[in-house]
Amino acid sequence: MFNINENIINIGVKDLKSDLFEGQYTIKNGIMYNSYIVLDEETTIFDTVDNKFTQEWLNNIRSVLQNKKPSYLVIHHIEPDHSGSIADFIKEYPQTKIVTNSKSFAMINQFFKLDNEIEKIIVKDGDILSTGKHIFKFIFAPMVHWPEVMITYDETSKILFSADAFGTFGIYDEKDGFTSEEWAQEASRYYIGIVGKYGVQVQSLLKKVSGFNVEKICSLHGPVLNRDLGEYINLYNIWSSYEKEKDGVVIAYSSAYGNTKKAVELLDISLKEKGVKTILIYDLARCDLSKAVADAFRYEKIVFASITYNAGLFPMMHNFINALVSRNFQNKDIGIIENGSWAPMAKKTILSMLEKCKNLNFTQNNVTINSALDEKSTQEILFLADELSK
Ligand code: FEO
């Protein structure tokens, strides 16, 4: 728990127990489920927390409020990492009015069957709730990350309660200093993995809030952003418009016996010799897939290097490309290294998987290896490195 200002307190919890978020994203450094309490003539709580932490969160509320009762619980997002403690909250504070939109109320009922027990305030996009000094404006943010998501702008404190937007994996202490680049390491993995498909909707949200005077962003995961906000908003703008963020080449490979890996190593050396400064290599059988996916989106160029397997792609490469395509992969320069001992099919399969992606520029020089590098495929690697370095 920590104060955002004299009236607003983060009463959220830190999850260092879970190994995976949403059952798929590694969270070696944990994750925060933020929840905020705003003390005013009428007290408001923004969001609950994952149900593994319900008692800790309720204790936080008790310790802040003592015997006072909250007037409102605002629900920004029904995904269980935030709504998991609604039922227990209502048991303890049955008089609290639940404030959210009609889609959320339908989902609350799906998850918790509480419809008859709660006092509802159904809000529409742009509606205002005044609690005394504070004036909260609700802004719908459909598909950032679920269809019912909304965010809140507090006109009094100039805080944007942004739900999942601007969230990140990791645990931050309120005194932690960090740069936007340090934040982006994990925030990009979070954003691109979880919301990446919905760039159009994120762009629409950024447009909606662009006229607000925002001094702090309080998301549901990670730190309060309270300085250099332009840098964070710029990163969100780049990610959600699928523009190139960084120069450099990502090489994602799958190799069964090390021969494709040798080709990747040769490409790495050749790119360096030609002056390419940033090269990120991911062995798809061993890396954190979500990190490889995030960097595939962030960097300008990517090389897929794969063996042929069951007349198609090695499963990890198939999974990786599928993860990219399902998140609207676009605007890239792409090279391909394929390997096949009797009927190379990797390149054909990669091209077919990427068919629906927009604005992909494929290199003129690609590489076909028959089992192991030979003179011809070595030369092809050098040509590919030359083309990628320009
Ligand atoms: Fe943090 Fe979409 O839940």
Side-chain angles (χ1 to χ4, degrees):
M1 267 204 314
F2 60 90
N3 275 65
I4 311 290
N5 64 26
E6 57 188 10
N7 300 316
I8 303 180
I9 303 150
N10 185 341
I11 51 165
V13 297
K14 297 170 180 175
D15 181 359
L16 281 160
K17 293 181 192 165
S18 303
D19 59 340
L20 295 174
F21 179 70
E22 278 193 351
Q24 59 172 318
Y25 300 101
T26 56
I27 43 171
K28 292 191 189 95
N29 299 316
I31 189 164
M32 297 163 75
Y33 310 116
N34 294 329
S35 164
Y36 303 93
I37 195 160
V38 181
L39 305 173
D40 203 353
E41 288 166 31
E42 295 183 291
T43 299
T44 305
I45 293 172
F46 288 106
D47 296 294
T48 79
V49 299
D50 187 283
N51 66 9
K52 290 194 282 297
F53 301 90
T54 302
Q55 286 313 315
E56 181 183 341
W57 175 69
L58 286 172
N59 281 338
N60 288 347
I61 296 174
R62 290 176 198 128
S63 81
V64 172
L65 291 184
Q66 303 297 325
N67 294 321
K68 272 185 73 180
K69 308 287 182 201
S71 300
Y72 304 105
L73 172 67
V74 174
I75 304 290
H76 287 122
H77 183 17
I78 297 295
E79 194 168 9
D81 51 330
H82 311 297
S83 72
S85 302
I86 291 176
D88 287 298
F89 175 87
I90 288 168
K91 271 185 212 147
E92 179 142 348
Y93 298 109
Q95 80 297 335
T96 301
K97 298 178 184 72
I98 309 298
V99 182
T100 190
N101 55 66
S102 54
K103 275 200 178 101
S104 290
F105 278 118
M107 284 194 194
I108 287 175
N109 206 29
Q110 284 173 201
F111 275 107
F112 308 114
K113 311 273 181 291
L114 294 173
D115 210 23
N116 297 325
E117 301 168 33
I118 53 180
E119 191 169 346
K120 302 182 201 172
I121 297 181
I122 302 174
V123 297
K124 296 190 290 303
D125 191 20
D127 277 359
I128 299 276
L129 174 71
S130 178
T131 58
K133 289 194 184 77
H134 289 266
I135 299 168
F136 301 121
K137 186 182 181 77
F138 303 113
I139 302 134
F140 286 13
M143 301 319 297
V144 188
H145 147 229
W146 280 14
E148 87 299 355
V149 171
M150 62 183 204
I151 65 172
T152 297
Y153 176 62
D154 177 10
E155 293 181 1
T156 310
S157 64
K158 312 275 186 270
I159 289 176
L160 189 69
F161 295 96
S162 62
D164 276 341
F166 299 97
T168 184
F169 302 122
I171 303 288
Y172 288 76
D173 192 83
E174 74 271 27
K175 292 184 188 73
D176 279 351
F178 55 89
T179 63
S180 57
E181 175 52 32
E182 286 161 350
W183 171 87
Q185 292 293 321
E186 281 291 85
S188 63
R189 192 167 71 88
Y190 174 89
Y191 169 81
I192 290 162
I194 291 166
V195 192
K197 178 180 170 63
Y198 301 107
V200 170
Q201 290 85 347
V202 174
Q203 283 280 300
S204 159
L205 179 63
L206 291 175
K207 206 171 286 175
K208 270 184 173 180
V209 302
S210 63
F212 298 158
N213 176 12
V214 178
E215 291 181 1
K216 290 180 184 160
I217 298 175
C218 292
S219 80
L220 288 174
H221 302 288
V224 174
L225 305 179
N226 55 17
R227 61 184 182 281
D228 306 323
L229 293 190
E231 292 177 16
Y232 298 93
I233 292 166
N234 184 47
L235 284 167
Y236 252 60
N237 191 33
I238 291 169
W239 297 340
S240 58
S241 56
Y242 305 98
E243 293 300 326
K244 172 197 84 169
E245 180 193 342
K246 289 165 172 285
D247 291 328
V249 180
V250 170
I251 307 173
Y253 77 92
S254 52
S255 184
Y257 291 103
N259 288 304
T260 307
K261 183 178 180 182
K262 277 187 187 150
V264 166
E265 288 164 353
L266 177 59
L267 178 63
D268 179 37
I269 292 165
S270 307
L271 286 168
K272 281 180 182 139
E273 282 173 357
K274 289 180 179 299
V276 176
K277 290 198 171 57
T278 307
I279 303 159
L280 295 102
I281 299 176
Y282 287 102
D283 173 354
L284 296 175
R286 295 179 175 82
C287 71
D288 180 336
L289 185 76
S290 63
K291 184 71 182 149
V293 167
D295 281 341
F297 276 83
R298 296 182 80 189
Y299 285 83
E300 183 184 17
K301 299 176 184 181
I302 182 164
V303 174
F304 299 104
S306 180
I307 59 166
T308 301
Y309 198 77
N310 286 335
L313 280 178
F314 207 54
M316 290 79 175
M317 180 61 79
H318 193 279
N319 193 25
F320 175 61
I321 296 180
N322 195 42
L324 300 181
V325 172
S326 64
R327 288 166 176 79
N328 254 333
F329 192 61
Q330 54 187 278
N331 292 339
K332 294 289 157 198
D333 292 345
I334 293 177
I336 297 173
I337 298 173
E338 66 171 350
N339 195 348
S341 293
W342 59 94
M345 285 295 289
K347 181 181 166 193
K348 189 175 174 190
T349 313
I350 290 168
L351 290 174
S352 147
M353 290 183 78
L354 294 173
E355 222 164 39
K356 287 184 189 149
C357 299
K358 289 187 286 187
N359 300 329
L360 300 184
N361 300 308
F362 293 93
T363 52
Q364 300 289 316
N365 295 283
N366 289 303
V367 181
T368 295
I369 302 163
N370 296 119
S371 304
L373 281 174
D374 59 8
E375 201 175 318
K376 173 183 150 292
S377 49
T378 297
Q379 190 61 49
E380 287 174 350
I381 295 270
L382 301 181
F383 285 145
L384 176 60
D386 190 51
E387 189 175 348
L388 288 168
S389 68
K390 288 176 177 158

